[in-house]
Structure formats: C-alpha cells, structure tokens
Amino acid sequence: MKSNIATKIMLACGLTVTGLFGSLIGLPAKADAATPESLNLIASGKDFIGTPYKFGAPAGVTYAFDCSSFVQYVFQQQGVDLPRTSVSQSYAGEKVDKAYLSMGDLTFFKTGGSGISHVAIYAGDGKILHASSSKGVTLSNMNSSYWKKAYVTARRVL
C-alpha cells in the first residue's frame, strides 16, 4: 500500500515538473482547440479536394496546385501571407511539437532529397490536407507508415 502511494506521489511530482519545464521552455501545455479561423481554413481547403497536382503551379491559380502553392493559396484566403516554397514556409510562424498539433498547423515532410520537400495543413484527427503528387488535393492519414516516416516538423502560423 505504501509503495502505491509513493508511486502516485512520484508520478504527480513528475507531471508537475514536466508541465513546469514545458512552460519554461515555451511548450504549450496541450494542443490548442480548433478556432473559427482554423475551421474556416480547413473548410476552404477542402473545397479544392480533387484539384490536380502540378509541380511548380503558379501562385494564385486554382486549376492545379503543388503542395506549397496550395498551402500558400488557402492561407492567403484567410489573410495570412506565406512564402511560396515548402522550405521557406518551414520558417514561418512558431515551431510546434508533433504532440501539440492543432488544426491549421503547417506540417513538413521529407519525401525525397536531403531536406523538407512537402508541406501539408494539419486537419485534425491525425489527418493532413495537402496537394499530393499522385492524388491532387486530398486528405491523408499522417500516421500512415509513409507520412510517419517522412515527418520533419510543424509550424503554427494562425
């Protein structure tokens, strides 16, 4: 009985210290809830599901997207200006730990080459909204083996 109480006290202290440490280094205590702004962003982006993929699609067009032109366009519709490329976008906003993703966060992946090569919008429930080279604009499970292995980082710009 005493060891159970001691274990519970140690766990409680550990959680308190972890929470305090997380706040001291600037980590949020938990993921932010979806906001009206992020819900609008995702709804707007979903309107383009099925739009074809075109590498190097010009900024501002809606007949085809590559990953970063899609993200740039959807965020611009919400009044947020982002750079054109996924690498440049990976420096926007604030870094977010994967465990604290919220709807509307930018997620970055290494799908080939030596660095970031893909950007998507976190849509909640482990899903990403993005322009896929094989499917065009689509929703994908970021916890699939492919996306899980390719994940690099995330940024919050909303």
Side-chain angles (χ1 to χ4, degrees):
M1 185 68 155
K2 286 183 181 178
S3 88
N4 281 345
I5 293 171
T7 301
K8 288 179 182 178
I9 291 171
M10 286 175 45
L11 284 173
C13 290
L15 291 173
T16 301
V17 169
T18 302
L20 177 62
F21 179 70
S23 66
L24 289 174
I25 62 170
L27 293 176
K30 61 183 171 80
D32 290 336
T35 63
E37 189 177 25
S38 66
L39 292 170
N40 284 339
L41 177 92
I42 299 301
S44 171
K46 284 181 176 179
D47 287 344
F48 293 99
I49 288 179
T51 302
Y53 179 89
K54 179 179 174 85
F55 180 77
V61 304
T62 59
Y63 62 83
F65 295 105
D66 66 11
C67 65
S68 56
S69 72
F70 173 68
V71 166
Q72 184 186 47
Y73 182 83
V74 172
F75 273 84
Q76 186 176 35
Q77 299 311 300
Q78 300 298 311
V80 177
D81 290 325
L82 289 175
R84 174 62 183 82
T85 68
S86 57
V87 172
S88 296
Q89 290 171 0
S90 72
Y91 293 102
E94 296 179 27
K95 185 177 169 119
V96 177
D97 188 87
K98 189 176 184 182
Y100 299 105
L101 287 173
S102 290
M103 288 180 73
D105 287 345
L106 300 179
T107 53
F108 297 92
F109 303 87
K110 178 184 170 190
T111 57
S114 61
I116 289 170
S117 55
H118 190 71
V119 61
I121 304 167
Y122 185 68
D125 296 324
K127 302 279 193 258
I128 52 173
L129 179 62
H130 62 123
S132 158
S133 60
S134 61
K135 298 178 183 174
V137 177
T138 190
L139 279 169
S140 297
N141 181 350
M142 74 178 281
N143 295 315
S144 71
S145 59
Y146 178 81
W147 292 113
K148 193 180 239 183
K149 183 174 70 171
Y151 180 84
V152 176
T153 191
R155 306 290 288 193
R156 183 163 296 152
V157 295
L158 286 180

